Amino acid sequence: MVYMKYLIKINIAVLCLLVVFGFAAVANAQTASEDIKKAENYLKNLKTVKADFIQTANNGTRLSGIFYLNRPGKLRFEYNEIDDFIVADGTFIYFYDSELQEQTNAPIGQTLADFLLRKDLKLTGTLNVQKISREDNLKTFTLTEKDNEGAGAVKLFFTEEPFALKKWQIIDAAGLTTEVLLRNMKRNVDLPASLFAYFKPKQDKPQYN
């Protein structure tokens, strides 16, 4: 009889633990869902942006410049130290190599920039939020493509008061990381259309899609 009472107490204790952990799991899931929605809403409302940036490569090399964004579909990186630039015109994203004096391009949908530039921006669906954490007092979201997680990942870093995008990291398929830190961000600014058209330097006319 004593043994049965002992088993009942153990079972009640286990049940209480399961209930507690069950509520914790639900609470964590709700918090994660709220965090994702908050980040989505913030990014959706980034219409036009101008910001200084510092880009740090995996080997520690640093470059700086100006970042422009015109959602949906368009962005531009201009560098201070080199004449390279990156521009997305709504259809393609172009990478200009000033040393070779040539460009390469790809459809935006085939690049990691697509999630930020698409009109219907979502951090779910075709994307997978692998992890939500805190690093260096910043809220961090690690994103991968659901159908191709081996292609790499994007980590977004947000300040919390106020909630704002501070930087991001691109981790490629080989595990190499490139970080872009934003400074002096200005939102809802007027940006000329010519910023988002690819044209080869020293050419007369930009090429629009």
Side-chain angles (χ1 to χ4, degrees), residues 36-151:
I36 291 169
K37 182 57 67 176
K38 189 174 184 178
E40 279 182 355
N41 289 336
Y42 173 87
L43 294 171
K44 283 179 181 179
N45 288 317
L46 283 182
K47 301 302 182 183
T48 58
V49 170
K50 179 180 179 182
D52 299 323
F53 74 87
I54 296 174
Q55 176 181 300
T56 305
N58 194 73
N59 62 5
T61 302
R62 288 191 172 192
L63 295 171
S64 63
I66 303 176
F67 167 66
Y68 302 93
L69 176 70
N70 188 353
R71 294 196 60 255
K74 300 174 182 179
L75 62 71
R76 184 180 186 92
F77 289 90
E78 289 183 349
Y79 293 89
N80 293 326
E81 298 84 0
I82 55 178
D83 292 328
D84 293 16
F85 61 85
I86 301 170
V87 60
D89 63 6
T91 305
F92 288 91
I93 187 164
Y94 298 85
F95 306 85
Y96 179 74
D97 186 319
S98 58
E99 186 175 352
L100 298 177
Q101 295 189 354
E102 62 184 29
Q103 58 92 0
T104 56
N105 63 73
I108 292 171
Q110 294 180 11
T111 70
L112 289 173
D114 178 55
F115 87 92
L116 178 61
L117 297 181
R118 64 181 65 171
K119 185 175 181 179
D120 185 23
L121 189 154
K122 290 183 179 179
L123 300 185
T124 55
T126 59
L127 293 175
N128 179 36
V129 181
Q130 274 197 339
K131 185 179 180 183
I132 300 174
S133 59
R134 288 179 59 82
E135 296 181 31
D136 301 325
N137 294 319
L138 299 172
K139 178 81 76 172
T140 305
F141 298 77
T142 302
L143 311 174
T144 59
E145 292 185 66
K146 275 189 177 177
D147 296 335
N148 193 13
E149 292 192 355

Side-chain angles (χ1 to χ4, degrees), residues 2 16 23 47-48 72 81 88 98 124 132 170 173 177-178 183 190:
V2 173
C16 288
F23 279 129
K47 301 302 182 183
T48 58
E81 298 84 0
S98 58
T124 55
I132 300 174
I170 305 293
T177 299
T178 301
R183 291 179 171 175
D190 291 330

Side-chain angles (χ1 to χ4, degrees), residues 153-196:
V154 178
K155 290 179 72 174
L156 304 177
F157 295 76
F158 294 86
T159 59
E160 296 191 76
E161 293 294 339
F163 191 81
L165 182 63
K166 182 66 175 178
K167 66 179 180 178
W168 64 80
Q169 293 177 348
I170 305 293
I171 302 97
D172 67 17
L176 302 180
T177 299
T178 301
E179 179 178 285
V180 175
L181 172 68
L182 300 179
R183 291 179 171 175
N184 305 318
M185 181 189 289
K186 297 177 182 178
R187 300 175 60 177
N188 302 318
V189 293
D190 291 330
L191 300 174
S194 58
L195 281 173
F196 307 105

